[in-house]
């Protein structure tokens, strides 16, 4: 229940604690209007420093155009690996924030294979170092730089 400092006036002081919950302690890069900005990594650069100072786990990854069977992407720096099992009908879009996977716009979460991934998060980008990617298709990773 609630108490007031007045209840403890005779003791000259009051000791209390407050629980504060931080669902995500990271700060994210924003523009001057306060809206999150998006950075992108693509297959044109297989090794790149994503920027930021905190581990990045919220992103949208697009794999290929449906022309490659079992498209996958692995961040060899963090051990994260995502693979679409089967022959996609179009672009495979993986949203690690909402835990969704679509194939050409259709829900295909059952085709997600994380075998070989050494991370509990779906995918990670490590800040401050070059991240090295291995893939068998074209890809883009849209993310917001995170800071601590």
């Amino acid at each position: 229940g609630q108490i007031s400092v007045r209840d403890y006036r005779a003791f000259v002081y009051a000791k209390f604690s407050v629980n504060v919950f931080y669902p995500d302690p990271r700060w994210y890069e924003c523009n001057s209007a306060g809206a999150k900005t998006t950075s992108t990594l693509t297959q044109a650069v297989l090794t790149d420093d994503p920027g930021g100072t905190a581990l990045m786990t919220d992103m949208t990854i697009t794999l290929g155009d449906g022309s490659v069977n079992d498209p996958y992407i692995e961040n060899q720096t963090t051990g994260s690996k995502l693979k679409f099992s089967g022959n996609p009908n179009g672009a495979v879009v993986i949203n690690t924030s909402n835990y969704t996977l679509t194939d050409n716009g259709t829900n295909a979460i059952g085709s997600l294979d994380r075998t070989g991934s050494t991370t509990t998060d779906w995918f990670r980008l490590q800040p401050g170092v070059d991240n090295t990617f291995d893939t068998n298709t074209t890809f883009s990773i849209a993310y917001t730089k995170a800071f601590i």
Side-chain angles (χ1 to χ4, degrees), residues 75-121:
N75 185 337
Q76 295 177 332
T77 306
T78 63
S80 301
K81 183 176 183 180
L82 298 174
K83 175 182 171 186
F84 180 89
S85 294
N87 185 19
N89 296 313
V92 173
V93 178
I94 303 165
N95 185 315
T96 66
S97 302
N98 299 329
Y99 304 105
T100 60
L101 181 147
T102 58
D103 173 13
N104 205 29
T106 303
N107 180 9
I109 193 67
S111 297
L112 178 65
D113 181 359
R114 295 186 61 238
T115 302
S117 184
T118 60
T119 60
T120 54
D121 297 307

mmCIF file of all heavy atoms in Angstrom, residues 75-121:
data_model
loop_
_atom_site.group_PDB
_atom_site.id
_atom_site.type_symbol
_atom_site.label_atom_id
_atom_site.label_comp_id
_atom_site.label_asym_id
_atom_site.label_seq_id
_atom_site.Cartn_x
_atom_site.Cartn_y
_atom_site.Cartn_z
ATOM 1 N N ASN A 75 26.236 -13.668 -39.497
ATOM 2 C CA ASN A 75 27.199 -12.682 -39.033
ATOM 3 C C ASN A 75 28.284 -13.472 -38.318
ATOM 4 O O ASN A 75 28.087 -13.948 -37.201
ATOM 5 C CB ASN A 75 26.557 -11.657 -38.104
ATOM 6 C CG ASN A 75 27.516 -10.559 -37.711
ATOM 7 O OD1 ASN A 75 28.732 -10.727 -37.749
ATOM 8 N ND2 ASN A 75 26.977 -9.412 -37.327
ATOM 9 N N GLN A 76 29.414 -13.647 -38.970
ATOM 10 C CA GLN A 76 30.487 -14.458 -38.407
ATOM 11 C C GLN A 76 31.133 -13.790 -37.197
ATOM 12 O O GLN A 76 31.787 -14.451 -36.396
ATOM 13 C CB GLN A 76 31.521 -14.771 -39.490
ATOM 14 C CG GLN A 76 30.937 -15.637 -40.587
ATOM 15 C CD GLN A 76 31.911 -15.902 -41.717
ATOM 16 O OE1 GLN A 76 32.803 -15.103 -41.992
ATOM 17 N NE2 GLN A 76 31.733 -17.033 -42.379
ATOM 18 N N THR A 77 30.923 -12.499 -37.039
ATOM 19 C CA THR A 77 31.467 -11.777 -35.892
ATOM 20 C C THR A 77 30.693 -12.107 -34.620
ATOM 21 O O THR A 77 31.284 -12.259 -33.554
ATOM 22 C CB THR A 77 31.428 -10.253 -36.154
ATOM 23 O OG1 THR A 77 32.103 -9.987 -37.378
ATOM 24 C CG2 THR A 77 32.066 -9.470 -35.026
ATOM 25 N N THR A 78 29.360 -12.221 -34.727
ATOM 26 C CA THR A 78 28.533 -12.450 -33.533
ATOM 27 C C THR A 78 28.036 -13.883 -33.403
ATOM 28 O O THR A 78 27.547 -14.263 -32.339
ATOM 29 C CB THR A 78 27.299 -11.526 -33.545
ATOM 30 O OG1 THR A 78 26.478 -11.856 -34.676
ATOM 31 C CG2 THR A 78 27.701 -10.068 -33.577
ATOM 32 N N GLY A 79 28.103 -14.663 -34.469
ATOM 33 C CA GLY A 79 27.585 -16.029 -34.432
ATOM 34 C C GLY A 79 26.121 -16.136 -34.784
ATOM 35 O O GLY A 79 25.542 -17.220 -34.740
ATOM 36 N N SER A 80 25.472 -15.030 -35.143
ATOM 37 C CA SER A 80 24.066 -15.047 -35.525
ATOM 38 C C SER A 80 23.912 -15.650 -36.913
ATOM 39 O O SER A 80 24.659 -15.309 -37.826
ATOM 40 C CB SER A 80 23.501 -13.622 -35.555
ATOM 41 O OG SER A 80 23.618 -13.006 -34.307
ATOM 42 N N LYS A 81 22.912 -16.524 -37.072
ATOM 43 C CA LYS A 81 22.656 -17.114 -38.385
ATOM 44 C C LYS A 81 21.160 -17.308 -38.579
ATOM 45 O O LYS A 81 20.480 -17.847 -37.703
ATOM 46 C CB LYS A 81 23.366 -18.462 -38.522
ATOM 47 C CG LYS A 81 23.190 -19.095 -39.890
ATOM 48 C CD LYS A 81 23.992 -20.376 -40.015
ATOM 49 C CE LYS A 81 23.862 -20.959 -41.418
ATOM 50 N NZ LYS A 81 24.643 -22.209 -41.543
ATOM 51 N N LEU A 82 20.654 -16.855 -39.717
ATOM 52 C CA LEU A 82 19.254 -17.036 -40.089
ATOM 53 C C LEU A 82 19.191 -17.673 -41.464
ATOM 54 O O LEU A 82 19.901 -17.246 -42.378
ATOM 55 C CB LEU A 82 18.514 -15.700 -40.104
ATOM 56 C CG LEU A 82 18.423 -14.947 -38.780
ATOM 57 C CD1 LEU A 82 17.799 -13.576 -38.995
ATOM 58 C CD2 LEU A 82 17.625 -15.742 -37.767
ATOM 59 N N LYS A 83 18.317 -18.664 -41.604
ATOM 60 C CA LYS A 83 18.191 -19.362 -42.881
ATOM 61 C C LYS A 83 16.714 -19.610 -43.168
ATOM 62 O O LYS A 83 15.957 -19.988 -42.274
ATOM 63 C CB LYS A 83 18.936 -20.696 -42.824
ATOM 64 C CG LYS A 83 18.785 -21.569 -44.049
ATOM 65 C CD LYS A 83 19.519 -22.879 -43.854
ATOM 66 C CE LYS A 83 19.222 -23.867 -44.953
ATOM 67 N NZ LYS A 83 19.833 -25.174 -44.673
ATOM 68 N N PHE A 84 16.326 -19.394 -44.420
ATOM 69 C CA PHE A 84 14.994 -19.758 -44.883
ATOM 70 C C PHE A 84 15.113 -21.155 -45.472
ATOM 71 O O PHE A 84 15.844 -21.363 -46.443
ATOM 72 C CB PHE A 84 14.499 -18.769 -45.946
ATOM 73 C CG PHE A 84 13.132 -19.093 -46.470
ATOM 74 C CD1 PHE A 84 12.007 -18.584 -45.853
ATOM 75 C CD2 PHE A 84 12.974 -19.910 -47.577
ATOM 76 C CE1 PHE A 84 10.736 -18.886 -46.342
ATOM 77 C CE2 PHE A 84 11.719 -20.216 -48.074
ATOM 78 C CZ PHE A 84 10.593 -19.704 -47.444
ATOM 79 N N SER A 85 14.413 -22.121 -44.885
ATOM 80 C CA SER A 85 14.486 -23.495 -45.374
ATOM 81 C C SER A 85 13.495 -23.691 -46.514
ATOM 82 O O SER A 85 12.290 -23.550 -46.325
ATOM 83 C CB SER A 85 14.177 -24.485 -44.250
ATOM 84 O OG SER A 85 15.175 -24.418 -43.265
ATOM 85 N N GLY A 86 14.015 -24.000 -47.694
ATOM 86 C CA GLY A 86 13.155 -24.241 -48.845
ATOM 87 C C GLY A 86 13.443 -23.285 -49.970
ATOM 88 O O GLY A 86 14.439 -22.570 -49.988
ATOM 89 N N ASN A 87 12.521 -23.265 -50.921
ATOM 90 C CA ASN A 87 12.627 -22.408 -52.098
ATOM 91 C C ASN A 87 11.633 -21.260 -51.963
ATOM 92 O O ASN A 87 10.429 -21.469 -52.128
ATOM 93 C CB ASN A 87 12.343 -23.221 -53.374
ATOM 94 C CG ASN A 87 12.560 -22.403 -54.622
ATOM 95 O OD1 ASN A 87 13.234 -21.380 -54.588
ATOM 96 N ND2 ASN A 87 12.002 -22.843 -55.727
ATOM 97 N N PRO A 88 12.093 -20.060 -51.660
ATOM 98 C CA PRO A 88 11.160 -18.948 -51.476
ATOM 99 C C PRO A 88 10.514 -18.518 -52.795
ATOM 100 O O PRO A 88 11.067 -18.715 -53.869
ATOM 101 C CB PRO A 88 12.040 -17.835 -50.910
ATOM 102 C CG PRO A 88 13.420 -18.160 -51.364
ATOM 103 C CD PRO A 88 13.489 -19.649 -51.473
ATOM 104 N N ASN A 89 9.314 -17.928 -52.680
ATOM 105 C CA ASN A 89 8.583 -17.425 -53.845
ATOM 106 C C ASN A 89 9.005 -16.019 -54.234
ATOM 107 O O ASN A 89 8.647 -15.543 -55.301
ATOM 108 C CB ASN A 89 7.078 -17.440 -53.573
ATOM 109 C CG ASN A 89 6.565 -18.840 -53.371
ATOM 110 O OD1 ASN A 89 6.885 -19.729 -54.138
ATOM 111 N ND2 ASN A 89 5.793 -19.043 -52.323
ATOM 112 N N GLY A 90 9.713 -15.346 -53.359
ATOM 113 C CA GLY A 90 10.156 -13.974 -53.589
ATOM 114 C C GLY A 90 11.104 -13.570 -52.480
ATOM 115 O O GLY A 90 11.748 -14.419 -51.857
ATOM 116 N N ALA A 91 11.172 -12.285 -52.224
ATOM 117 C CA ALA A 91 12.054 -11.784 -51.172
ATOM 118 C C ALA A 91 11.610 -12.319 -49.811
ATOM 119 O O ALA A 91 10.423 -12.345 -49.489
ATOM 120 C CB ALA A 91 12.060 -10.264 -51.159
ATOM 121 N N VAL A 92 12.576 -12.752 -49.021
ATOM 122 C CA VAL A 92 12.333 -13.202 -47.649
ATOM 123 C C VAL A 92 12.638 -12.016 -46.740
ATOM 124 O O VAL A 92 13.742 -11.477 -46.768
ATOM 125 C CB VAL A 92 13.227 -14.409 -47.296
ATOM 126 C CG1 VAL A 92 13.097 -14.756 -45.821
ATOM 127 C CG2 VAL A 92 12.891 -15.598 -48.176
ATOM 128 N N VAL A 93 11.646 -11.593 -45.950
ATOM 129 C CA VAL A 93 11.811 -10.440 -45.064
ATOM 130 C C VAL A 93 11.664 -10.916 -43.624
ATOM 131 O O VAL A 93 10.626 -11.466 -43.243
ATOM 132 C CB VAL A 93 10.787 -9.331 -45.380
ATOM 133 C CG1 VAL A 93 10.958 -8.161 -44.415
ATOM 134 C CG2 VAL A 93 10.925 -8.870 -46.821
ATOM 135 N N ILE A 94 12.723 -10.706 -42.850
ATOM 136 C CA ILE A 94 12.759 -11.129 -41.450
ATOM 137 C C ILE A 94 12.791 -9.882 -40.583
ATOM 138 O O ILE A 94 13.681 -9.050 -40.715
ATOM 139 C CB ILE A 94 14.006 -11.990 -41.180
ATOM 140 C CG1 ILE A 94 14.034 -13.198 -42.113
ATOM 141 C CG2 ILE A 94 14.052 -12.411 -39.713
ATOM 142 C CD1 ILE A 94 15.374 -13.901 -42.172
ATOM 143 N N ASN A 95 11.800 -9.745 -39.700
ATOM 144 C CA ASN A 95 11.739 -8.614 -38.780
ATOM 145 C C ASN A 95 12.078 -9.135 -37.395
ATOM 146 O O ASN A 95 11.280 -9.858 -36.790
ATOM 147 C CB ASN A 95 10.352 -7.975 -38.809
ATOM 148 C CG ASN A 95 10.271 -6.737 -37.958
ATOM 149 O OD1 ASN A 95 10.739 -6.713 -36.824
ATOM 150 N ND2 ASN A 95 9.678 -5.692 -38.496
ATOM 151 N N THR A 96 13.263 -8.794 -36.898
ATOM 152 C CA THR A 96 13.706 -9.320 -35.607
ATOM 153 C C THR A 96 13.049 -8.601 -34.428
ATOM 154 O O THR A 96 13.100 -9.108 -33.313
ATOM 155 C CB THR A 96 15.235 -9.236 -35.465
ATOM 156 O OG1 THR A 96 15.625 -7.871 -35.434
ATOM 157 C CG2 THR A 96 15.925 -9.968 -36.599
ATOM 158 N N SER A 97 12.430 -7.458 -34.662
ATOM 159 C CA SER A 97 11.717 -6.743 -33.594
ATOM 160 C C SER A 97 10.380 -7.403 -33.314
ATOM 161 O O SER A 97 9.969 -7.540 -32.163
ATOM 162 C CB SER A 97 11.474 -5.285 -33.976
ATOM 163 O OG SER A 97 12.675 -4.638 -34.252
ATOM 164 N N ASN A 98 9.671 -7.800 -34.381
ATOM 165 C CA ASN A 98 8.341 -8.396 -34.248
ATOM 166 C C ASN A 98 8.364 -9.917 -34.330
ATOM 167 O O ASN A 98 7.316 -10.549 -34.259
ATOM 168 C CB ASN A 98 7.410 -7.851 -35.336
ATOM 169 C CG ASN A 98 7.230 -6.363 -35.229
ATOM 170 O OD1 ASN A 98 7.266 -5.796 -34.142
ATOM 171 N ND2 ASN A 98 7.045 -5.706 -36.347
ATOM 172 N N TYR A 99 9.551 -10.494 -34.543
ATOM 173 C CA TYR A 99 9.714 -11.942 -34.675
ATOM 174 C C TYR A 99 8.813 -12.502 -35.777
ATOM 175 O O TYR A 99 8.032 -13.427 -35.557
ATOM 176 C CB TYR A 99 9.455 -12.654 -33.328
ATOM 177 C CG TYR A 99 10.333 -12.130 -32.229
ATOM 178 C CD1 TYR A 99 9.834 -11.300 -31.239
ATOM 179 C CD2 TYR A 99 11.688 -12.460 -32.203
ATOM 180 C CE1 TYR A 99 10.657 -10.799 -30.238
ATOM 181 C CE2 TYR A 99 12.519 -11.964 -31.200
ATOM 182 C CZ TYR A 99 11.990 -11.143 -30.230
ATOM 183 O OH TYR A 99 12.808 -10.657 -29.245
ATOM 184 N N THR A 100 8.943 -11.901 -36.967
ATOM 185 C CA THR A 100 8.158 -12.353 -38.113
ATOM 186 C C THR A 100 9.064 -12.669 -39.288
ATOM 187 O O THR A 100 10.191 -12.166 -39.380
ATOM 188 C CB THR A 100 7.132 -11.292 -38.555
ATOM 189 O OG1 THR A 100 7.831 -10.093 -38.912
ATOM 190 C CG2 THR A 100 6.123 -10.990 -37.451
ATOM 191 N N LEU A 101 8.569 -13.514 -40.181
ATOM 192 C CA LEU A 101 9.245 -13.824 -41.431
ATOM 193 C C LEU A 101 8.176 -13.944 -42.501
ATOM 194 O O LEU A 101 7.190 -14.660 -42.324
ATOM 195 C CB LEU A 101 10.019 -15.142 -41.327
ATOM 196 C CG LEU A 101 10.799 -15.549 -42.584
ATOM 197 C CD1 LEU A 101 12.064 -16.292 -42.208
ATOM 198 C CD2 LEU A 101 9.964 -16.390 -43.512
ATOM 199 N N THR A 102 8.362 -13.212 -43.595
ATOM 200 C CA THR A 102 7.437 -13.326 -44.720
ATOM 201 C C THR A 102 8.205 -13.716 -45.971
ATOM 202 O O THR A 102 9.366 -13.357 -46.144
ATOM 203 C CB THR A 102 6.666 -12.008 -44.984
ATOM 204 O OG1 THR A 102 7.603 -10.963 -45.240
ATOM 205 C CG2 THR A 102 5.784 -11.636 -43.799
ATOM 206 N N ASP A 103 7.541 -14.485 -46.819
ATOM 207 C CA ASP A 103 8.069 -14.888 -48.113
ATOM 208 C C ASP A 103 7.166 -14.268 -49.164
ATOM 209 O O ASP A 103 6.000 -14.649 -49.279
ATOM 210 C CB ASP A 103 8.063 -16.416 -48.223
ATOM 211 C CG ASP A 103 8.435 -16.929 -49.606
ATOM 212 O OD1 ASP A 103 8.939 -16.139 -50.426
ATOM 213 O OD2 ASP A 103 8.212 -18.127 -49.857
ATOM 214 N N ASN A 104 7.688 -13.273 -49.862
ATOM 215 C CA ASN A 104 6.903 -12.573 -50.885
ATOM 216 C C ASN A 104 5.609 -12.015 -50.284
ATOM 217 O O ASN A 104 4.563 -12.027 -50.911
ATOM 218 C CB ASN A 104 6.610 -13.503 -52.058
ATOM 219 C CG ASN A 104 6.363 -12.739 -53.341
ATOM 220 O OD1 ASN A 104 6.895 -11.647 -53.545
ATOM 221 N ND2 ASN A 104 5.545 -13.301 -54.199
ATOM 222 N N GLY A 105 5.682 -11.567 -49.013
ATOM 223 C CA GLY A 105 4.542 -10.951 -48.345
ATOM 224 C C GLY A 105 3.659 -11.907 -47.561
ATOM 225 O O GLY A 105 2.733 -11.477 -46.871
ATOM 226 N N THR A 106 3.908 -13.213 -47.636
ATOM 227 C CA THR A 106 3.092 -14.214 -46.950
ATOM 228 C C THR A 106 3.835 -14.750 -45.727
ATOM 229 O O THR A 106 5.027 -15.043 -45.803
ATOM 230 C CB THR A 106 2.776 -15.398 -47.904
ATOM 231 O OG1 THR A 106 2.120 -14.879 -49.054
ATOM 232 C CG2 THR A 106 1.894 -16.428 -47.232
ATOM 233 N N ASN A 107 3.109 -14.893 -44.620
ATOM 234 C CA ASN A 107 3.711 -15.416 -43.399
ATOM 235 C C ASN A 107 4.343 -16.778 -43.672
ATOM 236 O O ASN A 107 3.699 -17.684 -44.182
ATOM 237 C CB ASN A 107 2.646 -15.537 -42.301
ATOM 238 C CG ASN A 107 3.208 -16.082 -41.003
ATOM 239 O OD1 ASN A 107 4.414 -16.222 -40.833
ATOM 240 N ND2 ASN A 107 2.322 -16.388 -40.075
ATOM 241 N N ALA A 108 5.617 -16.914 -43.309
ATOM 242 C CA ALA A 108 6.336 -18.173 -43.502
ATOM 243 C C ALA A 108 7.269 -18.433 -42.323
ATOM 244 O O ALA A 108 8.357 -18.968 -42.492
ATOM 245 C CB ALA A 108 7.106 -18.125 -44.816
ATOM 246 N N ILE A 109 6.832 -18.091 -41.125
ATOM 247 C CA ILE A 109 7.687 -18.205 -39.945
ATOM 248 C C ILE A 109 8.145 -19.642 -39.726
ATOM 249 O O ILE A 109 9.236 -19.878 -39.199
ATOM 250 C CB ILE A 109 6.983 -17.645 -38.679
ATOM 251 C CG1 ILE A 109 7.971 -17.478 -37.529
ATOM 252 C CG2 ILE A 109 5.809 -18.510 -38.269
ATOM 253 C CD1 ILE A 109 9.009 -16.433 -37.748
ATOM 254 N N GLY A 110 7.364 -20.620 -40.159
ATOM 255 C CA GLY A 110 7.737 -22.017 -40.003
ATOM 256 C C GLY A 110 8.954 -22.419 -40.819
ATOM 257 O O GLY A 110 9.536 -23.475 -40.596
ATOM 258 N N SER A 111 9.351 -21.571 -41.769
ATOM 259 C CA SER A 111 10.516 -21.864 -42.611
ATOM 260 C C SER A 111 11.807 -21.267 -42.065
ATOM 261 O O SER A 111 12.857 -21.412 -42.675
ATOM 262 C CB SER A 111 10.282 -21.344 -44.034
ATOM 263 O OG SER A 111 9.187 -22.021 -44.621
ATOM 264 N N LEU A 112 11.732 -20.589 -40.922
ATOM 265 C CA LEU A 112 12.925 -19.998 -40.330
ATOM 266 C C LEU A 112 13.746 -21.063 -39.629
ATOM 267 O O LEU A 112 13.234 -21.827 -38.812
ATOM 268 C CB LEU A 112 12.567 -18.895 -39.337
ATOM 269 C CG LEU A 112 13.748 -18.251 -38.615
ATOM 270 C CD1 LEU A 112 14.632 -17.501 -39.605
ATOM 271 C CD2 LEU A 112 13.261 -17.317 -37.525
ATOM 272 N N ASP A 113 15.020 -21.118 -39.957
ATOM 273 C CA ASP A 113 15.941 -22.069 -39.349
ATOM 274 C C ASP A 113 17.070 -21.277 -38.699
ATOM 275 O O ASP A 113 17.763 -20.517 -39.370
ATOM 276 C CB ASP A 113 16.489 -23.006 -40.420
ATOM 277 C CG ASP A 113 17.436 -24.061 -39.875
ATOM 278 O OD1 ASP A 113 17.698 -24.076 -38.652
ATOM 279 O OD2 ASP A 113 17.929 -24.865 -40.685
ATOM 280 N N ARG A 114 17.226 -21.452 -37.386
ATOM 281 C CA ARG A 114 18.300 -20.766 -36.664
ATOM 282 C C ARG A 114 19.398 -21.735 -36.253
ATOM 283 O O ARG A 114 20.251 -21.423 -35.443
ATOM 284 C CB ARG A 114 17.736 -20.047 -35.434
ATOM 285 C CG ARG A 114 16.775 -18.923 -35.805
ATOM 286 C CD ARG A 114 16.314 -18.109 -34.612
ATOM 287 N NE ARG A 114 17.447 -17.470 -33.961
ATOM 288 C CZ ARG A 114 17.771 -17.652 -32.675
ATOM 289 N NH1 ARG A 114 17.070 -18.442 -31.910
ATOM 290 N NH2 ARG A 114 18.799 -17.030 -32.158
ATOM 291 N N THR A 115 19.395 -22.943 -36.824
ATOM 292 C CA THR A 115 20.409 -23.943 -36.522
ATOM 293 C C THR A 115 21.788 -23.371 -36.810
ATOM 294 O O THR A 115 22.029 -22.809 -37.867
ATOM 295 C CB THR A 115 20.188 -25.214 -37.363
ATOM 296 O OG1 THR A 115 18.887 -25.714 -37.095
ATOM 297 C CG2 THR A 115 21.226 -26.273 -37.034
ATOM 298 N N GLY A 116 22.673 -23.526 -35.866
ATOM 299 C CA GLY A 116 24.026 -23.000 -36.029
ATOM 300 C C GLY A 116 24.195 -21.619 -35.429
ATOM 301 O O GLY A 116 25.314 -21.156 -35.247
ATOM 302 N N SER A 117 23.090 -20.947 -35.118
ATOM 303 C CA SER A 117 23.191 -19.636 -34.485
ATOM 304 C C SER A 117 23.633 -19.834 -33.046
ATOM 305 O O SER A 117 23.134 -20.720 -32.351
ATOM 306 C CB SER A 117 21.851 -18.907 -34.524
ATOM 307 O OG SER A 117 21.979 -17.606 -33.991
ATOM 308 N N THR A 118 24.560 -19.023 -32.597
ATOM 309 C CA THR A 118 25.043 -19.121 -31.221
ATOM 310 C C THR A 118 24.494 -18.007 -30.340
ATOM 311 O O THR A 118 24.964 -17.806 -29.229
ATOM 312 C CB THR A 118 26.591 -19.083 -31.190
ATOM 313 O OG1 THR A 118 27.030 -17.848 -31.768
ATOM 314 C CG2 THR A 118 27.177 -20.260 -31.947
ATOM 315 N N THR A 119 23.485 -17.290 -30.831
ATOM 316 C CA THR A 119 22.938 -16.170 -30.073
ATOM 317 C C THR A 119 21.481 -16.434 -29.706
ATOM 318 O O THR A 119 20.769 -17.129 -30.417
ATOM 319 C CB THR A 119 23.024 -14.856 -30.866
ATOM 320 O OG1 THR A 119 22.272 -14.988 -32.075
ATOM 321 C CG2 THR A 119 24.464 -14.515 -31.205
ATOM 322 N N THR A 120 21.033 -15.873 -28.586
ATOM 323 C CA THR A 120 19.638 -16.008 -28.184
ATOM 324 C C THR A 120 18.757 -15.029 -28.956
ATOM 325 O O THR A 120 17.594 -15.308 -29.192
ATOM 326 C CB THR A 120 19.463 -15.780 -26.674
ATOM 327 O OG1 THR A 120 20.042 -14.524 -26.331
ATOM 328 C CG2 THR A 120 20.135 -16.884 -25.886
ATOM 329 N N ASP A 121 19.298 -13.849 -29.312
ATOM 330 C CA ASP A 121 18.569 -12.911 -30.160
ATOM 331 C C ASP A 121 18.537 -13.482 -31.573
ATOM 332 O O ASP A 121 19.427 -14.221 -31.975
ATOM 333 C CB ASP A 121 19.262 -11.540 -30.182
ATOM 334 C CG ASP A 121 19.285 -10.892 -28.814
ATOM 335 O OD1 ASP A 121 18.214 -10.782 -28.201
ATOM 336 O OD2 ASP A 121 20.385 -10.505 -28.370
#
